[in-house]
Amino acid sequence: MRHFGQIAPDVRKRLFHQEPCSFTADSPARLLSAALGATLYSPATRPGLADDILKQSARGLVSMVLCLEDSIDDADVPVGEENLVRQLTDLAERSGGDVPLLFVRVRTPEQIPDLVRRLGPAVRLLSGFVLPKFTEERGMPFLEALAAAEATSGRRLFAMPVLESPDLLYRESRVQTLEGISRTVDKYRDRVLALRLGVTDFCSSYGLRRGPDMTAYDVQIVASVIADVVNMLARADGTGFTVTGPVWEYFRVQERMFKPQLRQSPFLEGQAVELRQKLIEHSMDGLLREISLDRANGLLGKTCIHPSHVLPVHALSVVSHEEFSDAQDILRPERCGGGVMRSAYTNKMNEVKPHRAWAERTLLRGEVFGVANEDVGFVELLAAGLSD
């Protein structure tokens, strides 16, 4: 699989200075954690789940979560498990393994070995499990069950813990909770692909819900948690993990309170005025702003609950030619001793030592999402994906 693989090769050549790389579920964890992109959640009870997976894969999706937790009623868990096993078994027979990275969001540790056993050979389609309401106390049994299921199945299985516990939100317990999470995931570092943020649960603890004109960063109590999670769990010194962005809940806005947040000029230049209007009508201007703020705050990838959100996440994950140029200059071998230089675009200072970690992350992102050509921006990438 590869990002933007659904776009015709001649169009990709026009869009990209460096095309996204190909990868598989067996690729190195460092590459896969950066490549998750928009991770689409789907209730495991959907009767056409196998068809949904193939359909979204053909549209460019590379990671998906099949949910047995909050997205389904408590009474529907047994039905959801049965449907999940049946649909994945059918998919394994039909697809030959050419599917997105698939994860199952479970409720209890016991579900992990049970589902692996029931899937049998179809377990080869699974990349791992999403672990809800993760703390040190709750998380360790999940990770132990994952390790046991991996040994039994002979299949590499990753964990994606969801950080959404009230203990993480409350000021008086936050640091202690984060320290416990850090100890737990560090013990199973090779198995933890990424950490996911459960912002909806954070908001529920205070009876809050951000509107379509607001981002998670406008809700100050949520923004403070994101900052502390990044501070303690996403450091660039080799101890950190990939942390993914929070879910965007909206599909279409019937009435707006605030002005649209998308500037007109990029769309006028790209002759894509209708695209801009479509994005505004479907509340995508707020999503695009939040994606940009995710990256500015150290997050990569995003939880999604609607297929229309996938392309915007991927388009804004592509490395610009300017970013690529700066990163390459900073990482040149002859500059390992440090120093300061003017960027090739002559619009900023590049300082070798302070900007090195950013440059390394940028080149990794460019490897999986590609590097845009000099005259290509997110408008062109969005338009190409939508017209495919």
Side-chain angles (χ1 to χ4, degrees):
M1 70 192 89
R2 68 191 302 180
H3 285 290
F4 300 96
Q6 79 278 18
I7 297 177
D10 60 322
V11 178
R12 287 205 308 269
K13 186 175 181 179
R14 175 174 56 81
L15 293 172
F16 289 99
H17 171 76
Q18 174 185 296
E19 290 194 26
C21 70
S22 296
F23 56 92
T24 71
D26 296 319
S27 293
R30 180 171 178 269
L31 187 75
L32 292 181
S33 69
L36 287 168
T39 301
L40 183 65
Y41 275 55
S42 176
T45 50
R46 286 182 64 88
L49 191 58
D51 291 332
D52 292 342
I53 292 169
L54 293 176
K55 179 180 178 181
Q56 296 308 322
S57 178
R59 292 180 173 179
L61 184 75
V62 304
S63 64
M64 191 168 183
V65 172
L66 315 177
C67 185
L68 289 165
E69 209 229 358
D70 286 347
S71 69
I72 67 173
D73 190 273
D74 295 348
D76 291 336
V77 173
V79 174
E81 291 179 343
E82 291 174 8
N83 186 64
L84 176 69
V85 172
R86 182 170 60 252
Q87 296 286 337
L88 289 185
T89 300
D90 174 45
L91 186 61
E93 294 172 353
R94 287 197 284 155
S95 68
D98 187 19
V99 298
L101 303 172
L102 296 178
F103 302 85
V104 176
R105 182 172 177 172
V106 291
R107 294 182 174 218
T108 66
E110 294 75 23
Q111 283 179 300
I112 294 176
D114 181 57
L115 288 170
V116 167
R117 177 186 58 79
R118 291 161 67 181
L119 281 168
V123 75
R124 65 184 175 81
L125 297 184
L126 273 193
S127 290
F129 291 86
V130 174
L131 314 180
K133 299 172 179 58
F134 193 92
T135 61
E136 182 176 27
E137 182 179 350
R138 280 182 52 87
M140 192 62 76
F142 278 106
L143 291 169
E144 290 171 348
L146 181 80
E150 182 181 67
T152 300
S153 67
R155 168 74 180 166
R156 181 178 71 167
L157 296 170
F158 286 112
M160 290 203 291
V162 185
L163 310 186
E164 54 188 346
S165 166
D167 289 338
L168 184 59
L169 183 64
Y170 301 149
R171 180 184 291 272
E172 65 270 22
S173 56
R174 184 180 304 171
V175 172
Q176 181 180 355
T177 302
L178 280 169
E179 288 174 341
I181 292 171
S182 179
R183 286 191 296 269
T184 307
V185 295
D186 187 61
K187 182 177 180 180
Y188 288 87
R189 175 170 294 274
D190 291 343
R191 294 281 71 84
V192 176
L193 189 61
L195 305 176
R196 312 200 72 88
L197 289 165
V199 165
T200 301
D201 280 46
F202 290 158
C203 289
S204 74
S205 295
Y206 289 87
L208 305 175
R209 185 174 190 178
R210 71 188 189 278
D213 297 302
M214 300 286 180
T215 72
Y217 302 92
D218 295 312
V219 183
Q220 289 301 300
I221 195 162
V222 170
S224 71
V225 180
I226 295 174
D228 286 343
V229 168
V230 172
N231 190 333
M232 296 185 67
L233 297 173
R235 298 176 185 178
D237 60 0
T239 66
F241 295 83
T242 294
V243 179
T244 65
V247 67
W248 182 258
E249 299 178 348
Y250 295 93
F251 318 142
R252 186 177 178 90
V253 180
Q254 302 301 325
E255 183 178 357
R256 303 186 65 92
M257 181 179 297
F258 300 110
K259 290 175 62 177
Q261 302 175 81
L262 280 181
R263 291 188 302 113
Q264 292 188 27
S265 54
F267 293 87
L268 293 173
E269 293 166 5
Q271 298 182 333
V273 176
E274 291 183 5
L275 172 59
R276 178 178 183 271
Q277 187 59 37
K278 182 178 179 180
L279 292 170
I280 291 170
E281 288 176 355
H282 288 77
S283 189
M284 293 297 184
D285 55 326
L287 170 62
L288 292 171
R289 180 167 176 260
E290 185 165 284
I291 297 166
S292 298
L293 288 170
D294 286 341
R295 197 166 78 233
N297 284 277
L299 309 184
L300 182 60
K302 197 165 187 67
T303 296
C304 295
I305 40 78
H306 196 274
S308 64
H309 299 167
V310 172
L311 183 59
V313 172
H314 292 171
L316 281 176
S317 298
V318 173
V319 172
S320 71
H321 188 272
E322 181 175 344
E323 290 176 311
F324 182 68
S325 174
D326 288 338
Q328 280 197 315
D329 282 349
I330 290 165
L331 295 176
R332 291 187 189 282
E334 64 270 22
R335 291 179 176 144
C336 62
V340 178
M341 74 202 85
R342 183 174 62 175
S343 72
Y345 276 69
T346 69
N347 61 356
K348 70 178 76 65
M349 173 194 76
N350 286 329
E351 193 168 355
V352 173
K353 289 184 177 180
H355 290 146
R356 186 174 187 84
W358 168 86
E360 291 171 346
R361 287 186 172 184
T362 298
L363 291 189
L364 178 60
R365 182 162 53 90
E367 185 176 355
V368 294
F369 289 101
V371 177
N373 269 321
E374 192 168 357
D375 59 345
V376 171
F378 79 93
V379 173
E380 289 82 3
L381 293 161
L382 278 173
L386 289 171
S387 63
D388 184 71

